[in-house]
């Protein structure tokens, strides 16, 4: 039995083939497109599914894909953004555009499958992921000070800038950064931006 439909958009043929094989093995029905333009040309004939799209592509970016989906009345389709050049501002922009999550290439199969499953559940009003205020338990492990440091770092502030805003030394910010990554198990601060976007505690 299929675990659902996934639509993959990536202009790199090798990456596209790899993702198609990865998701097919995981039990998904997979439809692939080498460009956003090809995807939108076929959109009216497509059944709903979770969209996995690269961010940096010629002509139409992944962020524009999300915006155009919303404009076409398909804002309810969950979107997982992927990029080989991830950074904090890009992750934040992806979440603001309406992406469910943001992953950095290369992506381990379990990580992608988990992200797709969570993205679909979050768009299902009766699913386990429903609710804007569900905070990831990893964020609850942070102290108040660590949360304050993270709030500045995820907006793109350097250690020096965050230190000035918080009245501490850049070295102390670096120590907090290391503690934050250790506690959450995140590979980098950009990866935490998607978790924070779902938490009302970090919204400004």
């Amino acid at each position: 039995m299929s675990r659902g439909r996934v639509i993959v958009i990536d202009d790199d043929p090798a990456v596209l083939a790899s993702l198609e094989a990865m998701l097919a093995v995981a039990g998904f029905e997979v439809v692939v497109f080498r460009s956003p333009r090809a995807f939108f040309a076929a959109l009216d004939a497509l059944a709903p599914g979770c969209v996995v799209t690269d961010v940096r592509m010629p002509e139409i970016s992944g962020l524009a894909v999300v915006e155009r989906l919303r404009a076409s009345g398909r804002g309810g389709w969950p979107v997982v953004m992927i990029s080989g050049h991830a950074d904090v501002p890009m992750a934040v922009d992806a979440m603001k555009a309406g992406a469910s999550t943001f992953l950095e290439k290369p992506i381990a199969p379990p990580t992608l499958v988990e992200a797709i499953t969570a993205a679909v559940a979050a768009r299902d009003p009766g699913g386990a992921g429903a609710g804007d205020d569900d905070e990831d338990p990893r964020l609850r492990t942070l102290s108040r000070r660590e949360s304050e440091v993270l709030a500045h770092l995820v907006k793109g502030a350097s250690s020096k800038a965050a230190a000035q805003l918080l009245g501490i030394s850049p070295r102390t910010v670096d120590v907090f950064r290391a503690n934050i990554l250790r506690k959450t198990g995140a590979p980098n601060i950009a990866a935490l931006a998607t978790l924070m976007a779902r938490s009302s505690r970090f919204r400004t």
Side-chain angles (χ1 to χ4, degrees), residues 40 43 64-76 97:
F40 283 111
L43 185 58
V65 168
V66 180
E67 293 166 354
R68 287 181 61 170
L69 275 175
R70 189 167 54 219
S72 70
R74 297 173 177 83

Side-chain angles (χ1 to χ4, degrees), residues 136-142 150 177-188 192 195:
D136 192 286
R138 286 170 288 182
L139 294 178
R140 299 194 192 103
T141 67
L142 303 181
L150 180 57
R177 183 200 299 266
N179 287 340
I180 290 166
L181 296 179
R182 176 180 57 79
K183 284 185 174 182
T184 61
N188 49 51
L192 292 173
L195 302 183

Side-chain angles (χ1 to χ4, degrees), residues 50 75-80 95 98-101 114-132 134 198:
C50 180
W77 290 23
V79 178
V80 174
M95 299 305 294
S100 298
T101 193
E114 180 182 355
I116 291 171
T117 302
V120 171
R123 295 300 173 97
D124 178 1
D132 288 339
D134 289 342
R198 301 189 187 102

Side-chain angles (χ1 to χ4, degrees), residues 71-201:
S72 70
R74 297 173 177 83
W77 290 23
V79 178
V80 174
M81 290 261 196
I82 59 176
S83 177
H85 309 279
D87 55 30
V88 171
M90 183 184 293
V92 171
D93 287 345
M95 299 305 294
K96 286 181 177 179
S100 298
T101 193
F102 185 96
L103 301 175
E104 185 174 10
K105 300 176 185 177
I107 308 167
T111 300
L112 181 56
V113 170
E114 180 182 355
I116 291 171
T117 302
V120 171
R123 295 300 173 97
D124 178 1
D132 288 339
D133 295 332
D134 289 342
E135 181 172 79
D136 192 286
R138 286 170 288 182
L139 294 178
R140 299 194 192 103
T141 67
L142 303 181
S143 68
R144 180 184 61 82
R145 198 55 155 170
E146 287 166 344
S147 295
E148 291 173 349
V149 170
L150 180 57
H152 288 294
L153 295 179
V154 83
K155 292 176 183 177
S158 65
S159 293
K160 182 178 180 180
Q164 291 176 337
L165 290 167
L166 295 169
I168 56 180
S169 71
R171 173 58 183 161
T172 300
V173 171
D174 289 337
V175 171
F176 277 124
R177 183 200 299 266
N179 287 340
I180 290 166
L181 296 179
R182 176 180 57 79
K183 284 185 174 182
T184 61
N188 49 51
I189 296 297
L192 292 173
T194 59
L195 302 183
M196 292 176 64
R198 301 189 187 102
S199 173
S200 60
R201 179 158 64 101

Side-chain angles (χ1 to χ4, degrees), residues 36-48:
R37 192 172 299 281
F39 165 64
F40 283 111
L43 185 58
D44 289 341
L46 288 176

